[in-house]
Amino acid sequence: MDNQIEIENYRIRKPEEWAGKINDQELINKIRDSDFARLQNNEGKDFCYFLDKKYHTSNTENSEYVCMAYTLNEPANLERASVSDIVVEENEIYNIHRICVLRDGVLIDKIPDTKIKVFDNENHSSGGILSSNKKINITIKDLRLYDILILEDSRVKPFTERDFLRKEFSKYVWVSPDNYWAYGSYKFTFINERNQKIACKKIFFRDENGNLLKPELHYLEKGEKFVFEEKNYINPVDASREIFPFIDFATDSNWLDLSNYITSVYDEIFSQVSLKDFAPDLVEKLDSIPDQEEKIQFAIEYVQNNIYYIFNADEMNGHKPQAPAITYENKQGDCKAKSVLLKVILDYIGVEASIVLVNFHTDFYIKYYLPSLLTFNHAIVKINHKGEDYFIDATIRDEFGLLENRGFIYFMHYLEVKPNQELKERKPYRYPYFCVDEKVDFNVKNTTGKLVLTTTYKGNRANAMRRYFKNTNKREVIDNWNNFLFYSLNYSNDRNGTDVRNIFKDAAIDIISDDKKLNEFRIQYSATIENPYFVDPKKNRFLMYFDRNVVKASARDFIHKDLPFWHNFDSENYEINLYTDQKIDTEEKYTVQESTISNPYFDFKSRKKINKNGATVYIEFNPLVNLEIPQDEFEKFRTDHHHVADSNFGLGIDIIEPGLMNMLKFNFKKRFK
């Protein structure tokens, strides 16, 4: 291919020297049928004859090269190959080296049949997310079923002056491929052309029996390569129960040196600021608040709600934090900028605070990754107050409460921006309050039931419910509660298909109170129900209320060989009162059943009061959260959750039908039960 075309975001050109060169005949020679290839074709799968992937890093740019050839035997793959999108970051260039097909043994150049358009990537430019990414749309005409498509391309990301972290540090994670594809030849090469040594760590690879191998650690000096190569390869990972093998590449370092490096960057910002100088009006407001707890609340909510969050995906890794004076003046900034401003305000009012680096999306993997500042993609603020640590995300809006009442952020690993720090793990957490505290009153007289639910939400739940009621139509809210109660009262088993609005008459839901300091949000639901009893096929009547939210299905169903169970349930308290003007069976097994579970990771207790016309159950669930359940302790944890699900998540009462014959029948059944 001799034509060289250069556009701002893409080029049609020859590969760089480091990527190597392959001529047309060499390509054809690499595309050969084999027993392995025929087996995949016979199973109705497409087949990749070869994939050659190379990642090249230097102190001036990162580049990624791919050359591959795969069949278009499946219509869906043909469709995806005919029209595709490539997203490139700011300053990133997409290079097209070769697009061709092998058809009936003849190699056909498809670049003349390729149409390329460049668009702004608007899918990621809204709601405070700024993106200068471009989307390159590639349309290839006249691809046919049973063609073999050959693509050779690369991406180059030169570093700008702002990319100080990317210039100094390298980070790349190779993840093993999707196990749908079979590869005649699979080769990945990492090329280090940086001045610094690169460490590489192979992890979650397995032997032939499926047993995890010990991690392997290697080092690459400048000019050295790491190669992973397989022939007749299908990734053997059990995708639903195992972690995909991966190789982590990072500039060789340690957390201590990295913390000192990033601390110097932030110290430079903090040393130049005085809140009194750039925000005298804010200082005046802070000084006018006499209570320290309220000052802290004001500071957090000011930054969260008054400084517009701008997330620039291109700048999260690699750019210095914005000066707080600029953030305050412009009333906008990314997570680093908002966190820095909040710390400056907290410093002014005498509250100990620091910036911490996190990555909520890959939190589980951080303990396996090599030390690298590029592991983190988010900055939040850690506050130490009265001997307790609190973590505040300055980018969240509409959160309320004094410090101890604010929402809890679930994550485990973080690097504090202070000198001489190691990677830290947060301590497990037990809520000092009930996130959900609900009282259910269901009183039945004659053929009419009056149902009232009074619920208090705190912490994260209060913030979430406050937003929900603010943003959701009142009719939709009521319908959602009706649908939930349709199952809780077991009506789904005796009147399935009935419009819930015809069951729950005069349904209403109202906000009773909203305390922004305690961060308590209280609501009340009420409805009238005709024919309130659940009736089984034998015409026996029951009153039932079983809240399936108490049953943690994710704990009961969890199956994974590598991932431990992440424990993040809310604390809950329920009082359920079911009363009727009919006599009930006061000794029925499940009606009187109580439970006490003392698991290392949660305490569960249900207690009951029974009388001749009804019953009350008190349910408490207190979990120890923000931790991983060790695999050798998980089965006991699962079994205890099965115990909760064994009729301990609500209350049911059996009606004794009036009349002499019914009483005799009941006594007979009771005697021979």
Side-chain angles (χ1 to χ4, degrees):
M1 183 191 69
D2 297 324
N3 293 335
Q4 305 285 306
I5 298 176
E6 295 198 12
I7 310 294
E8 182 180 359
N9 301 105
Y10 74 90
R11 300 168 182 163
I12 299 176
R13 58 180 301 176
K14 295 179 179 179
E16 298 294 333
E17 288 295 327
W18 60 262
K21 295 182 180 179
I22 182 170
N23 61 41
D24 290 351
Q25 189 57 51
E26 288 173 324
L27 272 179
I28 295 173
N29 292 341
K30 293 182 71 170
I31 302 172
R32 294 189 179 278
D33 277 334
S34 64
D35 292 341
F36 182 71
R38 284 189 288 273
L39 178 62
Q40 311 311 314
N41 290 329
N42 292 339
E43 291 181 355
K45 293 183 178 182
D46 274 303
F47 178 72
C48 185
Y49 285 94
F50 66 86
L51 185 147
D52 185 10
K53 184 175 183 178
K54 297 174 182 175
Y55 187 87
H56 177 275
T57 184
S58 71
N59 294 100
T60 59
E61 66 181 29
N62 289 331
S63 306
E64 196 164 356
Y65 165 89
V66 175
C67 183
M68 63 188 302
Y70 63 95
T71 62
L72 299 179
N73 297 343
E74 289 293 307
N77 276 337
L78 174 64
E79 185 176 314
R80 282 191 289 268
S82 298
V83 182
S84 59
D85 290 327
I86 305 294
V87 177
V88 294
E89 295 180 3
E90 182 182 15
N91 300 320
E92 187 176 23
I93 304 298
Y94 178 62
N95 294 317
I96 299 171
H97 308 308
R98 182 186 266 120
I99 301 175
C100 57
V101 297
L102 187 64
R103 183 182 296 162
D104 299 326
V106 177
L107 199 64
I108 303 171
D109 183 9
K110 298 300 290 183
I111 285 183
D113 293 331
T114 300
K115 188 173 184 179
I116 304 174
K117 296 180 180 179
V118 180
F119 304 97
D120 289 332
N121 191 27
E122 290 302 324
N123 289 341
H124 297 91
S125 297
S126 63
I129 299 176
L130 300 183
S131 178
S132 51
N133 290 354
K134 297 292 184 179
K135 182 168 64 179
I136 301 172
N137 177 265
I138 300 173
T139 303
I140 308 172
K141 293 189 299 182
D142 191 33
L143 290 182
R144 304 177 189 177
L145 276 178
Y146 310 114
D147 278 347
I148 298 171
L149 179 63
I150 301 161
L151 298 175
E152 186 183 18
D153 57 27
S154 62
R155 307 161 70 101
V156 181
K157 171 75 173 179
F159 303 138
T160 66
E161 287 302 314
R162 295 182 300 170
D163 294 319
F164 76 105
L165 274 185
R166 287 195 181 102
K167 285 182 177 180
E168 190 71 23
F169 302 103
S170 176
K171 169 75 173 179
Y172 180 82
V173 180
W174 173 87
V175 180
S176 56
D178 189 298
N179 51 14
Y180 165 84
W181 285 95
Y183 301 86
S185 171
Y186 185 100
K187 186 177 182 181
F188 169 76
T189 306
F190 185 98
I191 305 168
N192 179 28
E193 287 296 342
R194 287 179 174 260
N195 296 326
Q196 302 89 353
K197 182 165 59 175
I198 297 283
C200 50
K201 184 179 182 182
K202 286 182 65 177
I203 193 163
F204 288 103
F205 284 79
R206 298 178 185 274
D207 63 20
E208 294 179 354
N209 298 319
N211 300 312
L212 275 176
L213 298 170
K214 290 183 178 180
E216 294 181 18
L217 190 60
H218 305 272
Y219 295 95
L220 302 175
E221 299 291 348
K222 183 176 181 179
E224 292 186 331
K225 301 177 181 180
F226 177 92
V227 179
F228 173 83
E229 188 170 13
E230 295 283 351
K231 299 293 185 184
N232 295 338
Y233 173 61
I234 302 176
N235 188 359
V237 67
D238 183 347
S240 64
R241 302 192 181 193
E242 297 174 350
I243 292 174
F244 275 71
F246 65 87
I247 307 173
D248 184 25
F249 298 87
T251 300
D252 186 34
S253 188
N254 58 71
W255 291 118
L256 197 70
D257 290 343
L258 293 172
S259 73
N260 289 330
Y261 175 90
I262 198 64
T263 297
S264 66
V265 173
Y266 277 82
D267 282 350
E268 183 181 348
I269 299 294
F270 291 128
S271 66
Q272 302 171 357
V273 303
S274 167
L275 191 67
K276 284 185 177 181
D277 291 341
F278 70 78
D281 51 343
L282 179 60
V283 166
E284 185 177 348
K285 289 180 182 177
L286 289 165
D287 290 344
S288 69
I289 301 172
D291 183 76
Q292 181 74 340
E293 305 303 317
E294 292 184 13
K295 278 187 181 181
I296 297 172
Q297 181 182 4
F298 175 83
I300 295 169
E301 292 173 13
Y302 176 83
V303 176
Q304 286 184 334
N305 298 324
N306 291 276
I307 306 299
Y308 188 54
Y309 176 43
I310 294 178
F311 173 81
N312 192 326
D314 306 324
E315 298 184 4
M316 288 311 302
N317 275 334
H319 296 169
K320 292 181 181 180
Q322 181 172 267
I326 297 174
T327 306
Y328 181 77
E329 180 182 357
N330 295 339
K331 297 294 185 288
Q332 64 183 32
D334 66 7
C335 64
K336 301 187 299 297
K338 294 190 69 168
S339 296
V340 165
L341 177 59
L342 177 55
K343 173 176 161 46
V344 169
I345 298 171
L346 292 169
D347 287 345
Y348 174 78
I349 63 176
V351 175
E352 182 184 343
S354 59
I355 308 297
V356 300
L357 305 179
V358 296
N359 190 330
F360 298 150
H361 298 298
T362 63
D363 186 58
F364 166 78
Y365 295 96
I366 291 176
K367 61 180 174 287
Y368 295 109
Y369 285 156
L370 296 162
S372 175
L373 291 172
L374 296 173
T375 293
F376 305 106
N377 69 349
H378 196 45
I380 60 176
V381 176
K382 177 186 176 186
I383 297 175
N384 183 274
H385 186 58
K386 295 182 178 179
E388 295 291 333
D389 288 337
Y390 301 89
F391 292 87
I392 302 296
D393 189 338
T395 68
I396 296 176
R397 288 183 177 178
D398 296 324
E399 283 206 325
F400 299 94
L402 299 175
L403 188 57
E404 66 269 19
N405 298 324
R406 303 188 75 81
F408 182 85
I409 307 172
Y410 288 102
F411 71 95
M412 184 174 289
H413 302 95
Y414 66 95
L415 183 68
E416 195 164 2
V417 181
K418 283 184 177 180
N420 303 318
Q421 296 295 302
E422 296 288 349
L423 184 72
K424 292 183 179 178
E425 286 191 5
R426 291 177 70 191
K427 295 182 296 184
Y429 181 74
R430 196 180 294 274
Y431 280 101
Y433 52 77
F434 290 115
C435 303
V436 180
D437 193 345
E438 184 165 82
K439 182 181 180 184
V440 179
D441 291 303
F442 193 21
N443 291 286
V444 177
K445 291 185 179 180
N446 297 319
T447 60
T448 302
K450 182 66 176 177
L451 179 62
V452 178
L453 279 68
T454 306
T455 313
T456 301
Y457 300 97
K458 290 200 68 170
N460 290 329
R461 285 292 190 101
N463 292 323
M465 294 306 297
R466 197 180 284 117
R467 295 187 197 106
Y468 175 71
F469 274 77
K470 179 181 177 180
N471 299 321
T472 310
N473 177 273
K474 189 71 169 288
R475 184 70 262 177
E476 183 182 342
V477 173
I478 293 172
D479 281 344
N480 285 338
W481 254 256
N482 288 344
N483 288 327
F484 165 75
L485 293 165
F486 181 69
Y487 289 92
S488 295
L489 295 163
N490 208 30
Y491 296 157
S492 57
N493 283 325
D494 73 346
R495 60 201 80 179
N496 202 16
T498 305
D499 187 339
V500 292
R501 293 188 183 182
N502 293 330
I503 297 172
F504 301 97
K505 305 285 188 180
D506 306 319
I509 193 164
D510 295 295
I511 300 170
I512 299 175
S513 63
D514 185 3
D515 190 318
K516 298 292 196 340
K517 290 185 179 180
L518 294 177
N519 198 17
E520 286 187 354
F521 187 78
R522 182 172 297 172
I523 63 169
Q524 188 171 84
Y525 168 96
S526 61
T528 301
I529 305 171
E530 300 294 338
N531 303 317
Y533 297 104
F534 162 70
V535 181
D536 73 6
K538 295 181 179 180
K539 304 304 180 184
N540 297 311
R541 294 187 297 166
F542 307 86
L543 276 187
M544 293 183 171
Y545 190 96
F546 286 89
D547 189 333
R548 287 165 175 79
N549 289 325
V550 179
V551 177
K552 311 306 179 191
S554 59
R556 300 173 69 208
D557 299 339
F558 182 79
I559 299 175
H560 205 285
K561 291 167 62 176
D562 299 330
L563 283 170
F565 185 82
W566 177 248
H567 199 214
N568 63 345
F569 297 130
D570 289 337
S571 57
E572 299 166 276
N573 184 57
Y574 299 91
E575 177 186 329
I576 303 170
N577 302 288
L578 303 181
Y579 285 91
T580 173
D581 56 0
Q582 307 288 303
K583 288 184 177 181
I584 74 164
D585 182 353
T586 59
E587 298 180 18
E588 198 279 329
K589 176 181 182 293
Y590 290 109
T591 297
V592 301
Q593 175 177 288
E594 297 180 332
S595 64
T596 299
I597 301 172
S598 295
N599 188 282
Y601 303 104
F602 73 96
D603 294 320
F604 182 89
K605 182 171 65 177
S606 67
R607 293 291 181 268
K608 291 176 179 174
K609 291 182 179 179
I610 314 293
N611 65 36
K612 64 179 182 179
N613 294 114
T616 297
V617 62
Y618 304 92
I619 298 173
E620 289 187 13
F621 176 67
N622 287 292
L624 181 67
V625 297
N626 203 71
L627 53 83
E628 297 169 344
I629 308 294
Q631 291 186 338
D632 60 349
E633 298 180 34
F634 182 75
E635 284 309 315
K636 175 65 166 60
F637 177 80
R638 187 204 306 276
T639 299
D640 284 340
H641 277 283
H642 285 319
H643 186 182
V644 173
D646 186 14
S647 299
N648 289 309
F649 58 103
L651 177 64
I653 57 177
D654 297 21
I655 306 302
I656 301 175
E657 300 298 343
L660 179 61
M661 291 303 296
N662 285 321
M663 184 60 70
L664 292 172
K665 178 175 142 185
F666 166 73
N667 288 329
F668 179 83
K669 180 178 74 171
K670 179 177 172 183
R671 181 175 299 176
F672 292 99
K673 187 181 281 188

